[in-house]
Amino acid sequence: MKGIIFNIQKFSLHDGPGIRTTVFFKGCPLKCKWCSNPESQFTSIQILHDQTKCQHCLQCIHTCKNNALSLKNDIIEIDNSKCMGCLECVHACPFQALSFEGEYKSIKEIVETCMQDYDFYEESQGGITISGGEGMSQPAFLKQLVTELKQHHLHVAIETTGYIEPKLFKELAPMFDLLLFDCKHYDSKRHFIGTGVYNEMIIENLTWANKQGLNILVRIPVIPEFNCTLQDAKGFCQLFNDIGIKKVQLLPFHQFGEKKYDLLHRPYTLKNKKALYKEDLKDYQQVFINSHIDCFF
């Protein structure tokens, strides 16, 4: 069995306790407008085009056997529905203007890479974090991978959107030592505007996980003009107090993924928004503290 991933990042310090290796799964049911990994949303191998390097030799277009590439408005466009992920266009480009995201890897390959830093996990009480994208979007592969990692006595966490069919979520969630559970918005309609999906299923899964006593850390990406007001903080607090969530981590908005949208030739609606910092969110944080919720960065 193989799964598609787009990165394995060693020495991660922000994806759970201790020193960790983060395995990034490709594919996500959400299309968050601020996503810092937009290449994670598509479920297959994806070709990226750097317009600044391209000399318009059209070698890539002539190489593609599936006619997935074309020149429109002086830009090389890639039709993902036609692309087979053979990467012949990437290898054919003499100017290295094309790159790719996504690679099929076996359980054995991933586990071997993770085990290279086993001593660091032991010393720091770290482990492995499944990220993405959404790891649960490849459920059979995820289940087998986590089972294998557990045989090596590793701490395994997952960053999840929570947007999973409840039956499947109830099967997968208890396998993890820690659920890093993103909560984008308390209001379903607003959630849809920002992510492309409603939040009822997310709240249902979060409520169930908390009732089961699973180890959960709810994390809020605080996004300008989406969920950053003090009224928004109060809305989150009401939701979390109803569910029984007592600890929340705030993730201030940043622009680390902006360049990727250019490479994917995708519009980025938050292009001119200023990044947020801890100092900008002190009053926001205080709303949670006043509501008896442990809130930190």
Side-chain angles (χ1 to χ4, degrees), residues 8 12 23 25 29 42 69 119 132 162 192 204-205 218 240 243 246 251 271 275 283 290:
I8 299 180
S12 296
V23 182
F25 278 45
F42 192 63
L69 287 81
D119 290 343
F192 181 85
E204 178 182 347
N205 287 331
V218 172
F240 296 152
I243 295 174
K246 296 300 182 185
L251 305 176
K271 193 179 185 80
D283 291 340
N290 292 344

Side-chain angles (χ1 to χ4, degrees), residues 9-267:
Q9 180 178 298
K10 294 188 173 185
F11 296 98
S12 296
L13 300 174
H14 305 291
D15 301 323
I19 297 173
R20 311 187 70 80
T21 295
T22 303
V23 182
F24 291 86
F25 278 45
K26 213 167 184 300
C28 186
L30 275 63
K31 301 295 181 284
C32 301
K33 293 181 178 180
W34 59 87
C35 182
S36 59
N37 292 322
E39 74 277 24
S40 73
Q41 296 175 359
F42 192 63
T43 55
S44 300
I45 293 173
Q46 205 165 7
I47 306 300
L48 284 67
H49 174 243
D50 190 337
Q51 180 72 5
T52 63
K53 295 180 180 179
C54 184
Q55 300 298 311
H56 300 90
C57 68
L58 306 186
Q59 185 65 31
C60 57
I61 293 177
H62 300 319
T63 300
C64 182
K65 299 174 182 177
N66 295 301
N67 298 315
L69 287 81
S70 60
L71 182 66
K72 293 182 180 180
N73 299 321
D74 209 33
I75 294 175
I76 300 295
E77 292 193 355
I78 299 101
D79 186 341
N80 290 316
S81 66
K82 294 181 179 179
C83 179
M84 301 301 292
C86 66
L87 304 182
E88 289 188 14
C89 61
V90 176
H91 302 314
C93 179
F95 305 103
Q96 297 182 323
L98 294 179
S99 58
F100 70 97
E101 290 288 352
E103 184 178 4
Y104 287 93
K105 285 187 174 291
S106 67
I107 301 291
K108 181 180 179 182
E109 288 178 292
I110 296 174
V111 171
E112 285 179 350
T113 300
C114 292
M115 289 300 294
Q116 291 171 2
D117 292 335
Y118 183 80
D119 290 343
F120 293 109
Y121 310 146
E122 277 201 318
E123 292 175 8
S124 68
Q125 296 184 330
I128 312 302
T129 298
I130 307 299
S131 187
E134 172 57 68
M136 292 189 189
S137 64
Q138 300 182 56
F141 181 75
L142 176 68
K143 187 173 183 179
Q144 187 173 333
L145 174 61
V146 175
T147 299
E148 182 65 28
L149 291 170
K150 286 293 188 178
Q151 290 180 0
H152 294 277
H153 309 290
L154 294 172
H155 181 282
V156 185
I158 186 170
E159 292 182 312
T160 181
T161 65
Y163 192 78
I164 313 296
E165 286 295 333
K167 182 179 179 181
L168 183 58
F169 182 83
K170 291 175 183 178
E171 178 184 352
L172 295 174
M175 298 181 68
F176 294 92
D177 300 295
L178 172 63
L179 298 177
L180 299 168
F181 200 115
D182 275 9
C183 194
K184 323 286 190 183
H185 212 287
Y186 54 91
D187 180 83
S188 188
K189 291 181 180 179
R190 291 286 297 158
H191 193 281
F192 181 85
I193 291 171
T195 70
V197 304
Y198 296 101
N199 71 357
E200 283 82 2
M201 189 160 60
I202 295 171
I203 293 173
E204 178 182 347
N205 287 331
L206 178 59
T207 301
W208 179 85
N210 191 62
K211 286 183 177 179
Q212 298 303 306
L214 302 185
N215 187 16
I216 306 167
L217 174 57
V218 172
R219 307 199 299 181
I220 302 173
V222 186
I223 311 300
E225 299 180 9
F226 176 68
N227 63 2
C228 67
T229 69
L230 297 186
Q231 190 60 42
D232 288 323
K234 293 176 182 178
F236 278 119
C237 289
Q238 182 176 342
L239 172 64
F240 296 152
N241 281 327
D242 289 344
I243 295 174
I245 299 298
K246 296 300 182 185
K247 187 183 343 183
V248 171
Q249 182 179 14
L250 302 180
L251 305 176
F253 169 72
H254 58 73
Q255 292 284 14
F256 297 153
E258 182 177 354
K259 174 65 175 175
K260 298 178 183 179
Y261 287 85
D262 293 334
L263 295 176
L264 291 167
H265 299 321
R266 284 181 51 183

